[in-house]
Amino acid sequence: MWQPCVLLKYGELMLKGRNRGRFENLLIRNARRALSELPHPVRVRRRRGLLLLSAPDHPELQTELVARARQLIGVSVVQPAIRVDRTPEAAVDAALRLARRARPAATAAFAVRARRRHKDFPMTSSQLQAHLGDRIHAALGWPVDLTAPEVEIAVEVDLHEIFVSVERYRGLDGLPVGSSGRALALLSGGYDSPVAAFRLMRRGLACDFVHFTGAPLTGPASAYKAYALARRLARFQGETRLWLVPLGQAQRELALAGAGALQIVAQRRLMLRVADRIARGHGAHALVTGDSLGQVSSQTLSNLGTVERAAELPVLRPLLAWGKEEIMAEAGRLGTAEISRLPDEDCCSLLLPRSVATRTTPAQLDGFERRLDLDDTVEALLAKAQCLPVCAGAGEDADVPSRRAAS
Ligand code: ATP
Ligand code: MG
């Protein structure tokens, strides 16, 4: 047997004790989904403390499996490996072939790290390690260096097979998406909100999205951006929905009612009211925003407090303590920065007051909102909301499907 495969090792999942089975099942489901678009079927199998991916008749898919696995939330280490028979000879043969492949024309200091996940193997880990080390040294003439090897050969004895590998990559870590439930993330076209959603996906939260456009006062650019961002994020979780809500008319009503310096905070409260209703109607248990304390005047402590009173669901703000540079760096790694960078006409840039109140109270906003028929406004916005199914994608090749009516 000589089967290229990929081992997925758990990080935090290992700490889950009796609940681990549930987390593992979710990870397996997410892995199957993430691999389902590949041209050939992929097997996802459970081994003690890890998952095993393989495309039985298509060893050439190994590189692609590695790339996909590195995007899988809940995996801490991604290790391409060769699966061989459960004998020391098979392990030696695989180790030699991998070592030669890793350094075709050179001598390299090497180390063998062996471990047994099942103990009923005729050699102990250290005996196996020594045996492999001797054989490789004899065959290749490479020196052994256990502290800083150039090539590290990992040999893992499992119940039915041995895995041999010379490479390992860091995964995304975190908890499998879905293990913490579902939330609705408020997605603007900026850098922050996609990062906020991603950070919570890494805590196991599946996210749908809502984006407020300035329509009919602005063009469609921000909706295209929101769709591209949602599509980029969908690759971490699969099935995703994006609601588009045209806020322009309601923004104008707020302005005409004399919101003045309260305009931005009043808009945010309106967004939260609408988002809260969509979320509760579609099985989400929290809202997510990209707020970062003090980033702009609408994000002072008192304004954040005033805004969140408008929602019944908890408002999660994973970036609250992040600085802009950290957020931008994460957006770069995530591939959302290149989308956020595109120009658009954010709904909030319309009807901007000359000054923005930095200290507001809920009572102040309640007072202002009594001048309006806010319930009617919320109902009208919900009636105009459109729900788009988002399919996972790389983002740069995102294309927007024709709109569908809200469900
Ligand atoms: P981002 O925060 O995404 O970079 P931004 O900086 O333009 O965009 P802020 O003014 O900081 O947005 O708004 C704070 C948060 O409010 C955003 O992170 C987002 O969660 C939410 N939000 C703002 N505008 C919109 C919008 N048009 N649609 C949906 N959510 C929005
Ligand atoms: Mg922001």
Side-chain angles (χ1 to χ4, degrees), residues 186-194 210-212 268 271 288-291 295-296 298-299 324 346-348:
L186 282 84
L187 195 62
S188 66
Y191 291 93
D192 308 330
S193 41
V210 57
H211 171 69
F212 295 88
R268 282 287 143 74
M271 286 184 196
V288 178
T289 73
D291 290 314
Q295 187 189 79
V296 290
S298 58
Q299 293 169 27
K324 197 73 193 184
D346 185 48
C347 67
C348 302

Side-chain angles (χ1 to χ4, degrees), residues 232-251:
R232 182 71 189 77
L233 291 164
R235 70 156 63 164
F236 300 107
Q237 63 174 14
E239 217 167 275
T240 300
R241 292 169 291 189
L242 167 66
W243 276 269
L244 293 175
V245 184
L247 198 70
Q249 187 58 38
Q251 284 181 279

